[in-house]
Amino acid sequence: MPIPSNYEKTSRMTAKEAAFTQLQQWIIDGTLQPGEKLNDVELAQALGVSRTPIRESLQLLEVQGFVKLFPGKATQVTEVEQEDIVDLLPPLAALQALAAELAVPNVTPDVIEELKKVNDDFATAVREEDYFNGLKIDETFHQIIVDTAENPYITNMAASLQAHVRRLFFHNSIILTEQSIEEHEQIIKLLLEKDAKKASEVMKENWVRAIDEFKSLRK
C-alpha cells in the first residue's frame, strides 16, 4: 500500500479530522486505488497519528461509501462504478437547486461580484482545458451559493455527495463544458433579479445535464 510521505499536514484540525480529510482525498484522486486493502498501522505511521483517529476516520469513510470494512479481516477501498453518476447527480442537483432558491433573499452585491469573478476563472480553466482546476473552481462557485443559503443540512449533505463527484471526475465520468459557463452566468443573473424559482430550475439543469453528456460519451 504505497502512501505519499510529502503531503502537507493541515493545521487547526483534530487528528481525526486531518486523517479523515487526507484519506478521503487520497481515495478521491486515486492515490489509494479502488479495491486496495488499507492497513491502519501503515496509515497511522504515514499520517503521524495513533491508530484511533485512523479507525474513526475509516468508519466515517464507510458511512460515506468510500471504504468497506470487513471486521477482523480487512478494510478495502470501494470500487468506482462510472454509472453511479446516474444515481449521484439527481439528489445533488435537487440540493443545489434548493440552495439556489433559499440563497435568493440573502444575496448581496458582494456575493454577485464574487460569483462573477469565480465564473470568469472557471471559464478560463475550461477554455485552457485545465479541467482539474476547473473542477475546483466550479465547486467554489456552487459552494458560495450553498453558503449563502445558510442551511447547515444542505451544506453537510451536499459536501458528502460532492466528494463522490470529485472521485468520478478523477475516473473520467464527468466533463466540463462551455455550456456550464453560460449556465453559471444565467444563475448569477437570476440571483441578482431575485427570481428564486428560475434560478432553482437552471441550477438543477446545470447538474443533471452532466448525465446526458456522460451517456453520450458511453455510446
Side-chain angles (χ1 to χ4, degrees):
M1 183 180 68
I3 303 172
S5 58
N6 60 342
Y7 72 96
E8 294 183 9
K9 294 184 178 180
T10 306
S11 60
R12 297 182 183 179
M13 280 189 177
T14 66
K16 182 175 74 172
E17 290 171 337
F20 171 81
T21 299
Q22 188 60 66
L23 292 176
Q24 185 191 62
Q25 180 57 41
W26 282 342
I27 293 170
I28 286 170
D29 67 21
T31 299
L32 297 174
Q33 289 287 316
E36 186 170 349
K37 292 183 178 179
L38 305 179
N39 183 298
D40 58 354
V41 174
E42 291 182 20
L43 291 172
Q45 291 174 345
L47 297 178
V49 298
S50 69
R51 293 171 68 184
T52 297
I54 295 297
R55 289 172 174 170
E56 292 174 342
S57 296
L58 292 175
Q59 289 171 351
L60 291 173
L61 288 166
E62 182 180 41
V63 171
Q64 286 197 341
F66 287 109
V67 303
K68 179 65 178 175
L69 301 179
F70 300 94
K73 295 182 179 180
T75 300
Q76 195 167 8
V77 178
T78 55
E79 298 291 341
V80 174
E81 301 293 341
Q82 292 187 328
E83 292 77 9
D84 284 350
I85 189 175
V86 177
D87 295 323
L88 170 62
L89 289 189
L92 181 55
L95 283 171
Q96 294 281 353
L98 180 57
E101 181 179 345
L102 296 178
V104 165
N106 304 325
V107 169
T108 65
D110 287 344
V111 169
I112 294 297
E113 287 306 309
E114 187 176 8
L115 287 170
K116 287 180 178 179
K117 181 182 182 305
V118 170
N119 197 41
D120 286 344
D121 292 340
F122 175 70
T124 298
V126 170
R127 289 162 184 162
E128 293 180 352
E129 298 184 357
D130 184 2
Y131 296 126
F132 175 65
N133 280 326
L135 179 72
K136 292 194 292 184
I137 297 168
D138 183 60
E139 282 191 33
T140 299
F141 179 89
H142 290 285
Q143 190 61 49
I144 292 168
I145 296 172
V146 169
D147 290 343
T148 304
E150 298 181 357
N151 186 304
Y153 297 99
I154 293 177
T155 300
N156 291 335
M157 288 187 285
S160 178
L161 293 172
Q162 188 71 55
H164 286 280
V165 169
R166 288 197 297 273
R167 193 181 189 203
L168 286 171
F169 171 84
F170 277 103
H171 290 271
N172 302 314
S173 294
I174 293 175
I175 58 174
L176 303 175
T177 66
E178 188 82 19
Q179 192 167 345
S180 288
I181 303 168
E182 297 170 1
E183 287 166 347
H184 287 179
E185 291 173 349
Q186 281 184 275
I187 291 167
I188 294 169
K189 179 176 180 291
L190 292 165
L191 291 174
L192 181 60
E193 294 173 350
K194 304 294 185 180
D195 190 338
K197 182 179 179 180
K198 189 62 178 177
S200 178
E201 291 173 358
V202 176
M203 178 67 83
K204 185 175 182 179
E205 175 59 26
N206 179 242
W207 285 96
V208 174
R209 179 176 46 76
I211 296 176
D212 295 330
E213 292 170 347
F214 169 75
K215 289 180 177 178
S216 67
L217 289 174
R218 303 285 285 182
K219 292 180 181 179

